Every structure is written in C-alpha cells, then in structure tokens.
Amino acid sequence: MTIPRIEFRHISKTFTGVTQTIPALKDVSFSVMTGEFVTITGTSGSGKSTIFNLCAGLIEPDEGEILIDGEKPASLAGMTGYMPQRDLLLPWRSVLRNVLLPMEIQDVSREESRKKALEMLPYFGLETFENEYPSALSGGMRQRAALMRTWLTGCSTLLLDEPFGALDALTRKELQNWLLNVWQEFGRTVLFITHDIEEAVYLADRVIVLSARPGKVKRELTVNLPRPRHQKMIAEPEFGNLVRELLDELGVSS
Ligand code: ADP
Ligand code: MG
C-alpha cells in the first residue's frame, strides 16, 4: 500500500471566542497522495482554511493527528508551502524581491536564489516584470507572483487557499489552465481550497466536500476526466454530472 503524503486522522478543532466556542472541524479524516491535485470545497465557515492552518502547523488540533509520509513530524512548520487566503505581495518590494522572500528566510545564498527565481519567471509568465512593483501588475499577474513565491519555498506540497477567489471569471480560467500546466510540468502535491464547484472539479484528481460548521468530510469524489484538462470539457455531460452531484451534496438545488 502506498503511504499518503498527508494524512488527517480524526482531527477536531474548536475555537474559543469571547462569548462562545466555535466547533470548526469535527472528526475530519482524509489523505492526499504524493503528486495528487486535491481540491477542498464547502460553504464559507466550514473549516477549509482551518485545515490549512493545522497542516502548516500554525495551530494545533484538539484531537487527532496529522501524518506526513506516514509519520507524525515533531513540527509541521515548514513542511508545506502555504499560500494563505488574501496573501499579499509586499508593495515596497519588486516582483523579484517578493518571490525571493522564502529563500531569504531559508538562508539560501543570494546568487543561488536569484538563479532559481530567474529560471522560474517564464513559467509564471512574469519574465521582464521582475523589476516592477506589485502596483504595476494586473490582478492575475499579482496572483501568479504570489504563487511563484509559494512555489519557491521548494516544498513538495503546496497549500493554496482560494488563490483565484478575487479574480474576474476570464482571468480565473486563464490561471486555472496555467496552474495545471506548471503542476504537470514540475509535479508537486497540491491541496487547493475553492468555494467554486466548477473550479474544484476542473482542477482536481479528487474533490473533498466539507459539511457546514462544524466541518466534516461529507463526500470525496474522484474526477476521472482526462488530462490535460481543457476549458471546453466544462460543457461535457460528464463534467456537468460531477458539478451537479457536488451541488446536491452541498444542498444547493440546481
Ligand atoms: P472557511 O475557510 O471554510 O471559510 P475557516 O476555517 O476560516 O472557514 O473558519 C471556520 C470557523 O472557525 C468559522 O466559524 C470561523 O469564524 C472560526 N475560526 C477560524 N479561525 C478562528 C480563530 N483563530 N479564532 C476563532 N474562530 C476562528
Ligand atoms: Mg477560508
């Protein structure tokens, strides 16, 4: 049996507020295999971002354990490249100096990190923009720069929290295709949060659906659509059936 890259085992997490306790996750178990592209979807407040915060070691679960490659690490910090929801580029740094940040923190030599970043710029469609500041970039380019920064952590597993959430529909589709291309070219494990069901199906090998608060895994759905994916697949009956199944699961009648 193959050992999963990430395994959540019976994870529960409750937050204590000023006047109330909020059960965010209840007995959540799932796994992600090496090289897989898994999307997590669910309504707002269903605990999606909490899953990433746990995975990145920023918060601790109340119950359960998280395994990486079959083992419980002493610390989860730094084991995954995390792009949080509303991740922002630093406006006072150029694109190049923004994407160099993770390597700066890891104390990679200036020369080596610059070489790596310059090599990757074309894959992120940012060549010739390395000396510009974030304010000079379009929304789509800014998200690609933020993704590139996460990519350059060098982590084999990436946690991407609604990276395309604030983009217009066309730019969003463009970036979906672009992300799949980079993923296929370089093969990393991706966990991707989205509340957009079409996006969840289009990108994924597998979709994990969370129930409303407290989040539980309500459904896991394998997407057997061929790769590479094309936007015209969205019009195919098989795609529509998967989307409908997920909408039914979330209690949204179509
Ligand atoms: P999602 O990403 O699916 O929208 P979150 O994981 O951000 O949901 O939040 C799940 C629930 O937990 C929400 O009700 C939220 O208010 C609560 N929550 C998340 N983080 C905290 C925190 N640090 N303190 C208190 N409550 C929190
Ligand atoms: Mg969230």
Side-chain angles (χ1 to χ4, degrees), residues 15-16 22 24 42-51 85 161 213:
F15 292 105
T16 309
I22 302 158
T43 50
S44 176
S46 58
K48 303 182 295 298
S49 297
T50 302
I51 288 183
Q85 212 170 346
D161 194 350
R213 211 172 68 205

PDB file of all heavy atoms in Angstrom, residues 15-16 22 24 42-51 85 161 213, ligand 1:
ATOM      1  N   PHE A  15     -12.681  26.523  18.368  1.00  0.00           N
ATOM      2  CA  PHE A  15     -12.106  27.808  18.749  1.00  0.00           C
ATOM      3  C   PHE A  15     -12.897  28.385  19.924  1.00  0.00           C
ATOM      4  O   PHE A  15     -14.113  28.271  19.956  1.00  0.00           O
ATOM      5  CB  PHE A  15     -12.144  28.796  17.578  1.00  0.00           C
ATOM      6  CG  PHE A  15     -11.227  28.419  16.457  1.00  0.00           C
ATOM      7  CD1 PHE A  15     -11.725  27.884  15.276  1.00  0.00           C
ATOM      8  CD2 PHE A  15      -9.856  28.593  16.581  1.00  0.00           C
ATOM      9  CE1 PHE A  15     -10.874  27.531  14.235  1.00  0.00           C
ATOM     10  CE2 PHE A  15      -8.994  28.247  15.550  1.00  0.00           C
ATOM     11  CZ  PHE A  15      -9.509  27.711  14.372  1.00  0.00           C
ATOM     12  N   THR A  16     -12.194  28.998  20.832  1.00  0.00           N
ATOM     13  CA  THR A  16     -12.865  29.635  21.956  1.00  0.00           C
ATOM     14  C   THR A  16     -12.852  31.134  21.743  1.00  0.00           C
ATOM     15  O   THR A  16     -11.791  31.769  21.725  1.00  0.00           O
ATOM     16  CB  THR A  16     -12.136  29.285  23.271  1.00  0.00           C
ATOM     17  OG1 THR A  16     -11.991  27.862  23.293  1.00  0.00           O
ATOM     18  CG2 THR A  16     -12.930  29.729  24.481  1.00  0.00           C
ATOM     19  N   ILE A  22     -16.580  27.909  19.120  1.00  0.00           N
ATOM     20  CA  ILE A  22     -16.954  27.601  17.738  1.00  0.00           C
ATOM     21  C   ILE A  22     -16.318  26.274  17.324  1.00  0.00           C
ATOM     22  O   ILE A  22     -15.095  26.195  17.164  1.00  0.00           O
ATOM     23  CB  ILE A  22     -16.478  28.720  16.780  1.00  0.00           C
ATOM     24  CG1 ILE A  22     -17.086  30.063  17.197  1.00  0.00           C
ATOM     25  CG2 ILE A  22     -16.816  28.394  15.344  1.00  0.00           C
ATOM     26  CD1 ILE A  22     -16.324  31.261  16.700  1.00  0.00           C
ATOM     27  N   ALA A  24     -15.041  24.166  14.792  1.00  0.00           N
ATOM     28  CA  ALA A  24     -14.717  24.409  13.380  1.00  0.00           C
ATOM     29  C   ALA A  24     -14.612  23.100  12.593  1.00  0.00           C
ATOM     30  O   ALA A  24     -15.109  22.994  11.472  1.00  0.00           O
ATOM     31  CB  ALA A  24     -13.424  25.200  13.268  1.00  0.00           C
ATOM     32  N   GLY A  42     -16.544  23.690   0.176  1.00  0.00           N
ATOM     33  CA  GLY A  42     -17.557  23.728   1.232  1.00  0.00           C
ATOM     34  C   GLY A  42     -17.974  25.167   1.410  1.00  0.00           C
ATOM     35  O   GLY A  42     -17.280  26.078   0.940  1.00  0.00           O
ATOM     36  N   THR A  43     -19.076  25.382   2.098  1.00  0.00           N
ATOM     37  CA  THR A  43     -19.576  26.745   2.265  1.00  0.00           C
ATOM     38  C   THR A  43     -18.609  27.546   3.139  1.00  0.00           C
ATOM     39  O   THR A  43     -17.748  26.968   3.802  1.00  0.00           O
ATOM     40  CB  THR A  43     -20.966  26.742   2.928  1.00  0.00           C
ATOM     41  OG1 THR A  43     -20.878  25.919   4.087  1.00  0.00           O
ATOM     42  CG2 THR A  43     -22.028  26.201   2.010  1.00  0.00           C
ATOM     43  N   SER A  44     -18.810  28.840   3.160  1.00  0.00           N
ATOM     44  CA  SER A  44     -17.974  29.718   3.976  1.00  0.00           C
ATOM     45  C   SER A  44     -18.137  29.334   5.445  1.00  0.00           C
ATOM     46  O   SER A  44     -19.244  29.066   5.899  1.00  0.00           O
ATOM     47  CB  SER A  44     -18.442  31.154   3.718  1.00  0.00           C
ATOM     48  OG  SER A  44     -17.731  32.018   4.537  1.00  0.00           O
ATOM     49  N   GLY A  45     -17.035  29.242   6.165  1.00  0.00           N
ATOM     50  CA  GLY A  45     -17.094  28.896   7.581  1.00  0.00           C
ATOM     51  C   GLY A  45     -17.108  27.397   7.856  1.00  0.00           C
ATOM     52  O   GLY A  45     -17.261  26.977   9.003  1.00  0.00           O
ATOM     53  N   SER A  46     -16.912  26.585   6.797  1.00  0.00           N
ATOM     54  CA  SER A  46     -16.952  25.134   7.008  1.00  0.00           C
ATOM     55  C   SER A  46     -15.603  24.579   7.484  1.00  0.00           C
ATOM     56  O   SER A  46     -15.452  23.376   7.660  1.00  0.00           O
ATOM     57  CB  SER A  46     -17.419  24.415   5.733  1.00  0.00           C
ATOM     58  OG  SER A  46     -16.579  24.718   4.647  1.00  0.00           O
ATOM     59  N   GLY A  47     -14.620  25.454   7.669  1.00  0.00           N
ATOM     60  CA  GLY A  47     -13.359  24.999   8.256  1.00  0.00           C
ATOM     61  C   GLY A  47     -12.250  24.718   7.248  1.00  0.00           C
ATOM     62  O   GLY A  47     -11.225  24.125   7.595  1.00  0.00           O
ATOM     63  N   LYS A  48     -12.417  25.212   6.021  1.00  0.00           N
ATOM     64  CA  LYS A  48     -11.416  24.929   4.977  1.00  0.00           C
ATOM     65  C   LYS A  48     -10.054  25.526   5.347  1.00  0.00           C
ATOM     66  O   LYS A  48      -9.037  24.828   5.334  1.00  0.00           O
ATOM     67  CB  LYS A  48     -11.895  25.485   3.616  1.00  0.00           C
ATOM     68  CG  LYS A  48     -13.242  24.945   3.177  1.00  0.00           C
ATOM     69  CD  LYS A  48     -13.672  25.479   1.814  1.00  0.00           C
ATOM     70  CE  LYS A  48     -13.942  26.961   1.726  1.00  0.00           C
ATOM     71  NZ  LYS A  48     -15.054  27.444   2.585  1.00  0.00           N
ATOM     72  N   SER A  49     -10.063  26.830   5.664  1.00  0.00           N
ATOM     73  CA  SER A  49      -8.783  27.470   6.000  1.00  0.00           C
ATOM     74  C   SER A  49      -8.200  26.886   7.287  1.00  0.00           C
ATOM     75  O   SER A  49      -6.966  26.818   7.435  1.00  0.00           O
ATOM     76  CB  SER A  49      -8.961  28.987   6.145  1.00  0.00           C
ATOM     77  OG  SER A  49      -9.377  29.547   4.921  1.00  0.00           O
ATOM     78  N   THR A  50      -9.063  26.468   8.198  1.00  0.00           N
ATOM     79  CA  THR A  50      -8.578  25.844   9.437  1.00  0.00           C
ATOM     80  C   THR A  50      -7.783  24.571   9.122  1.00  0.00           C
ATOM     81  O   THR A  50      -6.749  24.310   9.756  1.00  0.00           O
ATOM     82  CB  THR A  50      -9.774  25.528  10.372  1.00  0.00           C
ATOM     83  OG1 THR A  50     -10.464  26.748  10.636  1.00  0.00           O
ATOM     84  CG2 THR A  50      -9.331  24.903  11.669  1.00  0.00           C
ATOM     85  N   ILE A  51      -8.216  23.821   8.132  1.00  0.00           N
ATOM     86  CA  ILE A  51      -7.483  22.621   7.716  1.00  0.00           C
ATOM     87  C   ILE A  51      -6.052  22.995   7.310  1.00  0.00           C
ATOM     88  O   ILE A  51      -5.086  22.349   7.709  1.00  0.00           O
ATOM     89  CB  ILE A  51      -8.220  21.896   6.555  1.00  0.00           C
ATOM     90  CG1 ILE A  51      -9.484  21.218   7.100  1.00  0.00           C
ATOM     91  CG2 ILE A  51      -7.305  20.902   5.836  1.00  0.00           C
ATOM     92  CD1 ILE A  51     -10.273  20.418   6.092  1.00  0.00           C
ATOM     93  N   GLN A  85      -5.205  32.554   2.319  1.00  0.00           N
ATOM     94  CA  GLN A  85      -6.251  33.351   1.678  1.00  0.00           C
ATOM     95  C   GLN A  85      -5.826  34.818   1.822  1.00  0.00           C
ATOM     96  O   GLN A  85      -5.282  35.195   2.856  1.00  0.00           O
ATOM     97  CB  GLN A  85      -7.544  33.103   2.462  1.00  0.00           C
ATOM     98  CG  GLN A  85      -8.797  33.150   1.647  1.00  0.00           C
ATOM     99  CD  GLN A  85     -10.006  32.647   2.446  1.00  0.00           C
ATOM    100  OE1 GLN A  85      -9.879  32.042   3.496  1.00  0.00           O
ATOM    101  NE2 GLN A  85     -11.182  32.918   1.926  1.00  0.00           N
ATOM    102  N   ASP A 161      -4.911  28.500  -0.722  1.00  0.00           N
ATOM    103  CA  ASP A 161      -6.231  28.831  -0.175  1.00  0.00           C
ATOM    104  C   ASP A 161      -6.920  29.889  -1.037  1.00  0.00           C
ATOM    105  O   ASP A 161      -6.583  31.069  -0.961  1.00  0.00           O
ATOM    106  CB  ASP A 161      -6.087  29.319   1.278  1.00  0.00           C
ATOM    107  CG  ASP A 161      -7.431  29.344   2.010  1.00  0.00           C
ATOM    108  OD1 ASP A 161      -8.475  29.177   1.349  1.00  0.00           O
ATOM    109  OD2 ASP A 161      -7.415  29.528   3.245  1.00  0.00           O
ATOM    110  N   ARG A 213     -20.566  24.063   9.239  1.00  0.00           N
ATOM    111  CA  ARG A 213     -19.980  24.002  10.566  1.00  0.00           C
ATOM    112  C   ARG A 213     -20.714  23.094  11.542  1.00  0.00           C
ATOM    113  O   ARG A 213     -21.926  23.198  11.648  1.00  0.00           O
ATOM    114  CB  ARG A 213     -19.968  25.435  11.113  1.00  0.00           C
ATOM    115  CG  ARG A 213     -18.818  25.683  12.028  1.00  0.00           C
ATOM    116  CD  ARG A 213     -18.708  27.121  12.396  1.00  0.00           C
ATOM    117  NE  ARG A 213     -19.800  27.540  13.222  1.00  0.00           N
ATOM    118  CZ  ARG A 213     -20.223  28.796  13.300  1.00  0.00           C
ATOM    119  NH1 ARG A 213     -19.669  29.714  12.558  1.00  0.00           N
ATOM    120  NH2 ARG A 213     -21.196  29.125  14.087  1.00  0.00           N
TER     121      ARG A 213
HETATM  122  P1  ADP B   1     -13.607  28.636   5.752  1.00  0.00           P
HETATM  123  O1  ADP B   1     -12.195  28.814   5.327  1.00  0.00           O
HETATM  124  O2  ADP B   1     -14.220  27.339   5.289  1.00  0.00           O
HETATM  125  O3  ADP B   1     -14.488  29.802   5.359  1.00  0.00           O
HETATM  126  P2  ADP B   1     -12.486  28.853   8.431  1.00  0.00           P
HETATM  127  O4  ADP B   1     -11.642  27.651   8.562  1.00  0.00           O
HETATM  128  O5  ADP B   1     -11.824  30.141   8.174  1.00  0.00           O
HETATM  129  O6  ADP B   1     -13.637  28.566   7.356  1.00  0.00           O
HETATM  130  O7  ADP B   1     -13.346  29.031   9.764  1.00  0.00           O
HETATM  131  C1  ADP B   1     -14.178  28.019  10.301  1.00  0.00           C
HETATM  132  C2  ADP B   1     -14.860  28.556  11.532  1.00  0.00           C
HETATM  133  O8  ADP B   1     -13.928  28.724  12.579  1.00  0.00           O
HETATM  134  C3  ADP B   1     -15.518  29.915  11.310  1.00  0.00           C
HETATM  135  O9  ADP B   1     -16.733  29.947  12.012  1.00  0.00           O
HETATM  136  C4  ADP B   1     -14.526  30.889  11.906  1.00  0.00           C
HETATM  137  O10 ADP B   1     -15.174  32.018  12.396  1.00  0.00           O
HETATM  138  C5  ADP B   1     -13.889  30.079  13.024  1.00  0.00           C
HETATM  139  N1  ADP B   1     -12.478  30.456  13.226  1.00  0.00           N
HETATM  140  C6  ADP B   1     -11.463  30.272  12.365  1.00  0.00           C
HETATM  141  N2  ADP B   1     -10.296  30.691  12.874  1.00  0.00           N
HETATM  142  C7  ADP B   1     -10.586  31.174  14.113  1.00  0.00           C
HETATM  143  C8  ADP B   1      -9.807  31.743  15.163  1.00  0.00           C
HETATM  144  N3  ADP B   1      -8.497  31.915  15.047  1.00  0.00           N
HETATM  145  N4  ADP B   1     -10.455  32.127  16.292  1.00  0.00           N
HETATM  146  C9  ADP B   1     -11.788  31.955  16.428  1.00  0.00           C
HETATM  147  N5  ADP B   1     -12.570  31.413  15.478  1.00  0.00           N
HETATM  148  C10 ADP B   1     -11.992  31.020  14.335  1.00  0.00           C
END
